[in-house]
Amino acid sequence: MTYFLSRRVLAPTLVLGASALLTFTPVRGQQTPVVAGSVPEFGTMWTFDAPPLDYWQSRYGFRPDQAWLDHLRLSAVRLPGCSASFVSPDGLIMTNHHCSRSCIAQVSPPETNYLRTGFTAATADDELKCEGMYADQLVSIEDVTSRIRGQITADTPAEQVAQRDAAIESVRSACEQASGMRCQVVPLYNGGMYSLYTYRRFDDLRLVMAPELETAYFGGDSDNFTYPRYDVDVSFLRAYENGQPVHPADYLAWSEAGAKDGETVFVVGNPGSTGRLLTLAQMVYLRDVDYPARLASYDARMKILQKLSAESPENARRYETTILGISNSQKATQGYLSGLLDPKIMTRKAHFEQDFRSRIDADPTLKAKYGGTWDAIADAQLELSTFATQARYYALNGSTLLGYAIDIVRVARQAALPEGERLPGFQGNGLDRMRRQILRDRPLDEELERMQLASWLASAQKDLGPDDALVKALLGGRTPEAAAEEIVQTSHLKDVAERKQLVEGGEDIDTCGDPLIVAVRDLEPTANSYVKRAAQLNDVISANVAKLGEAIYAAYGKALPPDATFTLRISDGVVKGFPMNGTVAPYKTTFYGLYARSADFDDASPFQLTERWKLAESKVDMKTPMNFVSTADIIGGNSGSPVVNEAGEVVGLVFDGNIEMLPNRFIFTDEVSRCVSVHSMAIMEALRKVYDAGRIADEVEGRNR
Amino acid sequence: MTYFLSRRVLAPTLVLGASALLTFTPVRGQQTPVVAGSVPEFGTMWTFDAPPLDYWQSRYGFRPDQAWLDHLRLSAVRLPGCSASFVSPDGLIMTNHHCSRSCIAQVSPPETNYLRTGFTAATADDELKCEGMYADQLVSIEDVTSRIRGQITADTPAEQVAQRDAAIESVRSACEQASGMRCQVVPLYNGGMYSLYTYRRFDDLRLVMAPELETAYFGGDSDNFTYPRYDVDVSFLRAYENGQPVHPADYLAWSEAGAKDGETVFVVGNPGSTGRLLTLAQMVYLRDVDYPARLASYDARMKILQKLSAESPENARRYETTILGISNSQKATQGYLSGLLDPKIMTRKAHFEQDFRSRIDADPTLKAKYGGTWDAIADAQLELSTFATQARYYALNGSTLLGYAIDIVRVARQAALPEGERLPGFQGNGLDRMRRQILRDRPLDEELERMQLASWLASAQKDLGPDDALVKALLGGRTPEAAAEEIVQTSHLKDVAERKQLVEGGEDIDTCGDPLIVAVRDLEPTANSYVKRAAQLNDVISANVAKLGEAIYAAYGKALPPDATFTLRISDGVVKGFPMNGTVAPYKTTFYGLYARSADFDDASPFQLTERWKLAESKVDMKTPMNFVSTADIIGGNSGSPVVNEAGEVVGLVFDGNIEMLPNRFIFTDEVSRCVSVHSMAIMEALRKVYDAGRIADEVEGRNR
């Protein structure tokens, strides 16, 4: 493979593709319509301290006051990996079923699995504590940019990174000491700005209601990331303090009608990570180096697991979850990659970058400070790409045994070095963590190990060539299959006692005769050189993307929302169907559709209905809206976010995006990408008519007040 | 725009695109798996005199006998533009609703519109005659290749074409005289082979049953060409002779279970036209010249009609059908183009062509005879492309008045020439036909005329440049809008009396002062030269594609089915869902889905249910399979084809393809492309429970026998 990553060929050849290039129009001097236009390409994940009031006013004719914003912020809570909200004065919290999944499994008594049966607490006494789960409510935001940046005085990127980390930690711990609350320093715009977020934590959460997994995740992995959809992906928890339900001052009211076609809606939640400030060079690296390598690796693993699964029903069961996980990652990565391969998206990105650079270049001071950042990043990415293939294989992580070998050799060698000279990961507690990892006693799946190693060796041989030291050392003239067979048969690293000998017992790795240790100890210096070189380059990139974050203010002011950071944001959008597959996808689905999709597949998994839903068919209103789509800007971490209308009432519950949304990771577009939510009416209908949970429905709708 | 059509750059640069090129592997010497492989890329539209018995045996383990084939052939009939089949011993014919649409409208009494209400003949006496409709049953096939080819002795392409046409006509009329039946000479493989098809014609067809248009075409233009789908696109006719129902010896039995997942099925019908034998050069021409021009023209017309429609409800009504028609053409053309833009498809085509050419080149005799055909075609396409833009505008068909002007000038000039020197279209009866066309008295839509002319002039100015004679003559220094305004205001060609004067009344076009006549009479010689040049080149292409048709035997024998010719074929396939939109499309839909899609759109058009279906909800079995998909190879003309199982029983009724099927026009693939059919069980359920048509259901199921 050849990578064309040099910044000299970037602009004309690589980024846009030949055909898009023909229509490329420089926007120099022209104001890029970042916010005034209909679709802000940086998206709409606004922070609560910079709500785009003018933009909302012009786009929706809606200008909320501070009380409206404060109320939404305080009604929202963050769960581990998810979002949620208070929906009653008695501390009831609504989130997705998939955000409570581990709690639901955990609170199931031995004889029942609530994931299979669903769960409804008939009374408050029946609510079951989720151990280890907590909810954080964002009580204040403070700009601490100058406090952090004042501490960064060093010249080298590596030192700057260390100073920054120390400053962040010091601000955070000072805040926790002073407030007695949870504090977090959030680097926004790649560190162009730092905000101090203070949270009130609720750490006694109890399970109140959850439907069956089959209902919450109807359509399973097939329908995941897609729409039309038919999932009741909801669960209810309750926050307790001192054994009593919490009575939050702020909680969301429930909308009677729920989401309507064309309605303006807001999503309040914690989007995890986006890459909208990435430079073209970074995107090209992902497109040409990173994602293809990931996809190749998923593909290789998938082939092995599918082959093994076909061998026996036991194997099929054993690998099912792993296969689903990989298939999920494939789907997501393929979706991200498709965005990067889309000339329209890359052209928009190129336009923006051109405009951004020309604004910086137009001011001599800004140019001196920031003008070099894009090229510095592009050069570092380019250099990374020159040894990306080598670095990937020299990570020596192609199989479990190979991983043990390199870790064991490194633990021995790195321990002998002074702290400052060690590799990242072997500093501080790193060495001990590594030792524990090596000594975890897990049985080796020998068949899987053999196939993985053989597949990895075959790839290495193909990608590195037959004369590479790694290939020679591990193959030793054998075929990948024969080498894998022999290594798995003869290596003692399968045995935890043997690994203990090497890590703790004093057996010298330099005299150890284990075939893997012998091969790997000669490769380790080269492997380390790749790790170090990559770390240096990544420090350069990291320091320069932080500069870009600063530059973006200089060029555009505060009009652009920062990349997602798994902190609270408010995104706006419109309830709206979209063109799909030659026709139109409706703005909402209905219960009819649930029964339809199940019947379409003859009630086979993952489209089978639970008994409860089969019995409920005659009771529910089949026209009840089930799921709906909106143009709100979301990403992983937004799961469980409430969707509210202009009155601040709940009209839905975010649980996914459609497949067309995946490229939004890099540039926000809303032609076909959609946020997928459970409709509020589906939740009420299900609570009352399917789950015998009128108590909870009444509480949510305020009928008990 | 620059076209890279030269055959020198074709292979490396144009056809495949840069990235596909990298993976291009010559297949020289290697046998292309045309039939033995899993997907024959020439598709499966087999003629009944060359059924692929070995292929069916190896693929499905099914080898029908001659009686099975004869029975299917004789049970099938061809309608104008459609396919159909006998489904009862009393001459009942099943086809699509959209194939009987004009009859349904025609037989509606003044007070009722059966398209809106649906129609069920309660008794035989209530069956209503469709004037002008007929059904042709294929009774025999004879190879007449040598009879036709023996008559082609001339040297020039134009003379060869004339001799061929004369030979075809002579064979056909001799057949009709001898048999007293309808005869048709079918040129297969672009004229590489000629078959004489003899038909028995049934010309008294009566309407027996038709659902409402809204049910037959549920989802309307939006869902057209797509799947999942929910259409009862069926109608029943009956063939009469001498006032009595016909009793055909062959008719199809009805399957009780209907189409099942994974089942092998056969489609018997008349696919209209495919381009699978097109050379790469022809495909490139379509891709780079023809389709882009068509799409630009659709786009221009669409913009005007949408603008006019937005002006008033009357306009919206007036242009609705035209807009739907254009939108349909856009969808189809875009789909075809997407296939040509798909590097995978073009690579496969390139592989095939390379293999084909290398087989011809390997035999000196074949090489001498056919080796030059690809280059001859490519050169002609290339030359066509050099003046395609000019030829398009010099057709002078940008508006109704402009069309009158060029036709009037041509009628005067061509009438003065000897027959042999006239343009195509002005020979024989052509002149009179043209005169009648000019003198049809239709009111001119002046607003539309003005906008169309302005839009066409603006495009001409842009594409031909300001110095082109046409642009100068028609614009005369004005803007396109001003020119169009003035021309429409001042031209007398609006007036049929004035046109009559010019065509018949002796007004001399050379002294006529009408601004359009003045402009066009000077442009006419140039316009004619383009017409002639294009006709010559198309004769060259036509003669060479016929040679290619001969060559394909020499290279592959009779293993490849010929391109579609709107004659009877049998296609094979499997009932099977497909990957779609990130998830899977089911092999079938159900009645649940009909109610779901209607509810999803709040029962709005084109997703509204008829009253009859709303009332039937409690009566029908909601799990009844409604539509289903299979990998059978179909295209326009197959509408109304029966889908049968290995027992020859009806399991469904073809009515559409999915959007992914459109690129199959050029290469057949079955990964995602699907034939969409009404499920036989949906037809029975609808007849019995919705349309009060138990009489017909009993007849079809043989319950009355």
Side-chain angles (χ1 to χ4, degrees), chain A residues 223 331 583 588 592 602 617, chain B residues 223 582-583 588 592 602 617:
Chain A
D223 280 2
K331 215 163 167 177
T583 179
K588 69 158 193 280
Y592 272 127
D602 300 317
E617 183 177 350
Chain B
D223 280 1
T583 179
K588 70 158 194 282
Y592 272 126
D602 299 316
E617 183 177 350

Side-chain angles (χ1 to χ4, degrees), chain A residues 32-45:
Chain A
T32 296
V34 189
V35 164
S38 57
V39 183
E41 57 194 30
F42 281 80
T44 66
M45 295 172 174

Side-chain angles (χ1 to χ4, degrees), chain A residues 242-308:
Chain A
N242 307 319
Q244 292 300 316
V246 165
H247 299 293
D250 289 280
Y251 62 88
L252 300 175
W254 202 261
S255 157
E256 205 171 319
K260 291 190 293 282
D261 197 14
E263 183 174 32
T264 303
V265 290
F266 298 87
V267 167
V268 183
N270 302 275
S273 158
T274 52
R276 292 174 189 164
L277 294 185
L278 289 180
T279 66
L280 274 175
Q282 292 176 294
M283 288 168 75
V284 168
Y285 185 85
L286 287 175
R287 185 189 68 184
D288 295 344
V289 183
D290 189 298
Y291 286 158
R294 274 195 235 186
L295 286 170
S297 138
Y298 295 145
D299 194 44
R301 286 176 63 201
M302 197 60 143
K303 278 200 186 115
I304 292 168
L305 293 171
Q306 282 174 336
K307 200 172 167 193
L308 286 173

Side-chain angles (χ1 to χ4, degrees), chain B residues 156-158 160-161 164 190 373 538-548 550:
Chain B
T156 71
Q160 289 173 351
V161 166
R164 179 198 63 192
N190 307 326
T373 44
N538 281 318
D539 280 346
V540 170
I541 293 170
S542 168
N544 277 284
V545 296
K547 277 175 143 189
L548 271 189
E550 297 168 23

Side-chain angles (χ1 to χ4, degrees), chain B residues 370-419:
Chain B
Y370 304 119
T373 44
W374 288 273
D375 288 353
I377 293 170
D379 287 343
Q381 296 284 180
L382 177 62
E383 200 181 330
L384 275 173
S385 74
T386 60
F387 62 94
T389 306
Q390 283 73 20
R392 200 158 64 243
Y393 287 103
Y394 276 83
L396 294 162
N397 56 3
S399 83
T400 303
L401 292 179
L402 195 56
Y404 285 145
I406 181 68
D407 288 348
I408 287 168
V409 171
R410 277 199 176 133
V411 161
R413 303 256 197 257
Q414 296 286 311
L417 293 178
E419 178 87 15

